C-alpha cells in the first residue's frame, strides 16, 4: 500500500507540473488559421486588469525554463481560455465571415463531397449486411466523413498513414477501391489479409496505409517511429486516433517520443465525444486533446471536424508546420459519432435521442451539399443521381464478392516463416485431422482446397 501511494503521489505531482507548463504556454494569443507553436524567448500573459505583460524567461533550470514570481499561486487550468476551433462553413453551408476558403477548383470540391457520400453509402450497406448475418463485424463512420476526406486531401501521396479503424475515407481518397473494401469485409480470397483479419481492418502497402490493428493506440508509437524515419525527406506521417485512445499509455509514449525526437508527424484526433459508451466528460478534465500539445512541447490546431473545408485547411497547415519544422503537430477535429460504436454496440443505451438528433443535424455531408448548391457548383438532382449510382455499384460488387471462394484453411499457416517451422506444420496437420473428423460441423464448400 505504501508503494502504491508513493506511485500515485508521484504521478499526481508530475500531472500538476505538466498542467502548469501547459497553462503558461497556452496563455499566448492563437493565430486565427495558424498552428500554435512553442514559446520563444519571452511569453505574453494577459491579466484581468493589467493588460498584456511581457516577461523574460529568466528561471532557467535543467528541466524547464520559465520566470520567477514572489507569489505562491496554484494555477487553476480549468479557468484557462479554451483553444479556439477553426471553422470555414457554418452548419447552414454559408462561409464564416472572413473565412479562408481553400484555393481549389469547384470540381475538386464536388469530388470531395462525392467521396463523403460514398463512405456513408458503403457504411449503410455493410452495416445492414452484418445485421443480416452476411459479415461478422462492422464499425461505421457516420458523421465523421469530413475528417477523412478533408485531411487526406491535404496530404502528399508519399506521406505515411497510421489509422485506427474509423478512417475508410482516407483509403478511399488514396485509391482503395470499393471491391477492396467489400472483399476485405467478406474475407474472401481477394480481401486484404486473406481472411485472417476482422472486417474493417484494412491495409495497403501500395497506398502507404498501415494495416489497422484492433487494440487502441498501438499504432501511435509505431507512427512516431515512422516519423523519425522520414525526417528531412519532405514527407510526414499522419496518425489517426480517437479521444478515447488518448487515454492509453501508448498515446503518452507516442507524443513524448515524437516531440523529443523532432518527428514530422501529424497526430490527428477525431474527438467524437464518446469512447464506446464513455463520454468525454468521464475521459478527461482538460480542454479536450488539443490542450495536451503544450505539455509535450508539440504544436496544435483545433478544427470543426464537421466542416470538410476547415479540416482540409487545418491539415494542410499542420503538414506544412510538421515538415518545415520537423516537429509533431496535434490536429483535434471536434465531431460526433453519428451511429453506434460498432455492430457490437447499442448507443441508444447511453445517448439520448435528442442529443443524437442535435448533432446529426450538423453532419458534414449536408453542410457541404448546402455550400455547393449555394455556390452553384452542384445540384440536388446531380446529388440524387450520384447517390443512386453509388448504391447500385456497391450492391453489384457485393453480389460478386459473396460468390468468391474463401481462402484455404492451410493459408492460416502461411506468411509466417519460410520454410514453415516444425511446430507450425504440426499445428497445420492437427487442424486438418480435426476437420476431417468433424467435417459436418464446418461448412467448407466455398473454401479453396
Amino acid at each position: 500500500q505504501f508503494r502504491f501511494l508513493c506511485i500515485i503521489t508521484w504521478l499526481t505531482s508530475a500531472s500538476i507540473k505538466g498542467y502548469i507548463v501547459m497553462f503558461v504556454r497556452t496563455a499566448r494569443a492563437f493565430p486565427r488559421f495558424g498552428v500554435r507553436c512553442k514559446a520563444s524567448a519571452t511569453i505574453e500573459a494577459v491579466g484581468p486588469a493589467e493588460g498584456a505583460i511581457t516577461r523574460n524567461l529568466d528561471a532557467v533550470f535543467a528541466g524547464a525554463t520559465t520566470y520567477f514570481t514572489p507569489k505562491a499561486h496554484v494555477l487553476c487550468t480549468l479557468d484557462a481560455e479554451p483553444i479556439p476551433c477553426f471553422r470555414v462553413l457554418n452548419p447552414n453551408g454559408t462561409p464564416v465571415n472572413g473565412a479562408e476558403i481553400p484555393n481549389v477548383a469547384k470540381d475538386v470540391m464536388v469530388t470531395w463531397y462525392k467521396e463523403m457520400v460514398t463512405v456513408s453509402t458503403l457504411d449503410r450497406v455493410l452495416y445492414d449486411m452484418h445485421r443480416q448475418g452476411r459479415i461478422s463485424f462492422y464499425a461505421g463512420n457516420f458523421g465523421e466523413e469530413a475528417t477523412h476526406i478533408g485531411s487526406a486531401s491535404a496530404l502528399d501521396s508519399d506521406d505515411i498513414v497510421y489509422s485506427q479503424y474509423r478512417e475508410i475515407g482516407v483509403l478511399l481518397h488514396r485509391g482503395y477501391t470499393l471491391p477492396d473494401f467489400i472483399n476485405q469485409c467478406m474475407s474472401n480470397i481477394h480481401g486484404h489479409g486473406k481472411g485472417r483479419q476482422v472486417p474493417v481492418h484494412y491495409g495497403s502497402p501500395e497506398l502507404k496505409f498501415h494495416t489497422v490493428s484492433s487494440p487502441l493506440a498501438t499504432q501511435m508509437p509505431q507512427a512516431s517511429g515512422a516519423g523519425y524515419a522520414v525526417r528531412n525527406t519532405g514527407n510526414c506521417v499522419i496518425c489517426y486516433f480517437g479521444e478515447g485512445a488518448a487515454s492509453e499509455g501508448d498515446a503518452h509514449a507516442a507524443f513524448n517520443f515524437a516531440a523529443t525526437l523532432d518527428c514530422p508527424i501529424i497526430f490527428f484526433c477525431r474527438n467524437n465525444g464518446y469512447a464506446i459508451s464513455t463520454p468525454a466528460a468521464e475521459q478527461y478534465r482538460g480542454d479536450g486533446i488539443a490542450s495536451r500539445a503544450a505539455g509535450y512541447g508539440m504544436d496544435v490546431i483545433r478544427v470543426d471536424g464537421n466542416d470538410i473545408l476547415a479540416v482540409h485547411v487545418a491539415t494542410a497547415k499542420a503538414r506544412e508546420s510538421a515538415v518545415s519544422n520537423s516537429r509533431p503537430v496535434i490536429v483535434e477535429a471536434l465531431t460526433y459519432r453519428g451511429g453506434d460504436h460498432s455492430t457490437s454496440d447499442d448507443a441508444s443505451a447511453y445517448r439520448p435521442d435528442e442529443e443524437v438528433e442535435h448533432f446529426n443535424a450538423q453532419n458534414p455531408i449536408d453542410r457541404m451539399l448546402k455550400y455547393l448548391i449555394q455556390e452553384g457548383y452542384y445540384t440536388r438532382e446531380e446529388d440524387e443521381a450520384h447517390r443512386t449510382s453509388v448504391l447500385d455499384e456497391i450492391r453489384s460488387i457485393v453480389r460478386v464478392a459473396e460468390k468468391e471462394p474463401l481462402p484455404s484453411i492451410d493459408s492460416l499457416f502461411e506468411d509466417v516463416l519460410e520454410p514453415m517451422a516444425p511446430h507450425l506444420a504440426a499445428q497445420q496437420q492437427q487442424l486438418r485431422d480435426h476437420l476431417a473428423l468433424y467435417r459436418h460441423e464446418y461448412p467448407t464448400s466455398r473454401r479453396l482446397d
Side-chain angles (χ1 to χ4, degrees):
Q1 291 179 337
F2 175 75
R3 290 179 180 176
F4 176 78
L5 290 174
C6 287
I7 292 172
I8 294 299
T9 302
W10 177 80
L11 289 174
T12 304
S13 174
S15 176
I16 292 174
K17 292 176 183 176
Y19 276 120
I20 292 174
V21 173
M22 188 181 304
F23 175 82
V24 172
R25 287 182 174 176
T26 55
R28 294 175 296 116
F30 185 80
R32 183 172 59 172
F33 299 137
V35 176
R36 177 175 289 186
C37 299
K38 64 179 181 180
S40 55
T42 61
I43 63 171
E44 291 184 357
V46 179
E50 69 273 24
I53 299 175
T54 300
R55 297 189 177 96
N56 292 324
L57 302 182
D58 56 352
V60 180
F61 292 88
T65 299
T66 180
Y67 61 91
F68 290 110
T69 176
K71 296 182 179 180
H73 179 63
V74 176
L75 296 176
C76 179
T77 61
L78 297 180
D79 292 339
E81 182 181 354
I83 295 173
C85 181
F86 171 54
R87 169 184 278 184
V88 171
L89 298 179
N90 289 308
N92 62 7
T94 60
V96 175
N97 289 335
E100 179 183 336
I101 305 296
N103 185 24
V104 298
K106 64 179 183 180
D107 292 344
V108 173
M109 291 189 182
V110 171
T111 298
W112 293 351
Y113 170 77
K114 288 182 176 180
E115 288 175 340
M116 288 198 295
V117 170
T118 299
V119 169
S120 178
T121 306
L122 185 63
D123 270 349
R124 293 201 311 272
V125 172
L126 291 174
Y127 188 92
D128 289 345
M129 286 178 64
H130 171 269
R131 293 303 191 229
Q132 296 161 0
R134 296 158 74 184
I135 60 175
S136 60
F137 174 82
Y138 195 70
N141 305 267
F142 301 109
E144 302 183 45
E145 298 88 353
T147 64
H148 306 183
I149 310 302
S151 61
S153 60
L155 301 175
D156 185 86
S157 59
D158 286 328
D159 292 338
I160 299 171
V161 180
Y162 283 82
S163 169
Q164 192 159 311
Y165 44 69
R166 211 182 301 278
E167 291 91 14
I168 68 171
V170 178
L171 258 179
L172 179 72
H173 184 82
R174 289 200 150 206
Y176 211 64
T177 67
L178 290 175
D180 290 334
F181 287 111
I182 293 168
N183 287 329
Q184 194 282 331
C185 287
M186 304 201 74
S187 300
N188 63 33
I189 60 170
H190 302 298
H192 172 74
K194 302 180 180 179
R196 301 165 184 162
Q197 266 284 20
V198 181
V200 309
H201 287 52
Y202 311 106
S204 174
E206 299 79 13
L207 301 177
K208 293 181 169 53
F209 190 101
H210 284 256
T211 302
V212 175
S213 179
S214 290
L216 284 181
T218 54
Q219 80 277 15
M220 297 181 72
Q222 297 167 11
S224 295
Y228 183 79
V230 301
R231 292 190 307 174
N232 303 316
T233 65
N235 289 108
C236 73
V237 174
I238 187 167
C239 178
Y240 294 90
F241 63 102
E243 84 287 346
S247 296
E248 294 284 345
D250 278 346
H252 160 73
F255 293 156
N256 209 41
F257 272 118
T260 57
L261 296 176
D262 298 321
C263 301
I265 178 171
I266 301 169
F267 288 108
F268 193 102
C269 177
R270 297 174 295 92
N271 189 339
N272 63 24
Y274 285 89
I276 308 183
S277 59
T278 304
E282 297 177 19
Q283 279 282 340
Y284 52 78
R285 282 292 182 270
D287 179 22
I289 305 303
S291 63
R292 302 186 189 184
Y296 289 98
M298 297 188 290
D299 301 334
V300 62
I301 184 168
R302 173 179 276 168
V303 63
D304 182 346
N306 297 331
D307 178 354
I308 186 172
L309 300 185
V311 174
H312 174 82
V313 172
T315 308
K317 288 188 177 291
R319 185 187 185 280
E320 179 184 11
S321 176
V323 173
S324 300
N325 303 319
S326 193
R327 287 176 45 74
V329 181
I330 287 182
V331 175
E332 183 182 28
L334 300 178
T335 182
Y336 190 75
R337 195 191 75 214
D340 298 330
H341 172 76
S342 72
T343 49
S344 302
D345 176 46
D346 178 11
S348 66
Y350 54 85
R351 300 195 306 193
D353 293 341
E354 296 78 13
E355 175 188 304
V356 177
E357 292 171 1
H358 169 74
F359 284 107
N360 282 351
Q362 306 177 45
N363 78 81
I365 294 179
D366 287 350
R367 184 183 303 194
M368 187 58 172
L369 177 60
K370 292 173 183 176
Y371 171 74
L372 294 176
I373 292 174
Q374 290 167 10
E375 295 297 315
Y377 297 163
Y378 203 53
T379 66
R380 292 197 179 276
E381 291 74 21
E382 290 174 313
D383 183 47
E384 289 299 323
H386 173 68
R387 290 172 182 263
T388 300
S389 175
V390 169
L391 181 58
D392 290 344
E393 182 182 4
I394 291 173
R395 286 172 172 170
S396 176
I397 295 169
V398 167
R399 285 193 291 269
V400 173
E402 282 189 308
K403 297 176 182 177
E404 295 289 349
L406 303 179
S408 166
I409 292 294
D410 287 338
S411 69
L412 284 171
F413 303 90
E414 298 172 355
D415 305 323
V416 181
L417 295 172
E418 180 64 37
M420 186 180 294
H423 70 282
L424 289 177
Q427 292 174 19
Q428 184 182 49
Q429 188 58 50
Q430 290 173 357
L431 180 57
R432 287 173 177 169
D433 295 342
H434 178 81
L435 292 175
L437 185 61
Y438 300 103
R439 185 162 292 278
H440 61 284
E441 300 290 344
Y442 297 93
T444 58
S445 58
R446 285 184 57 205
R447 292 201 178 275
L448 296 175
D449 291 334

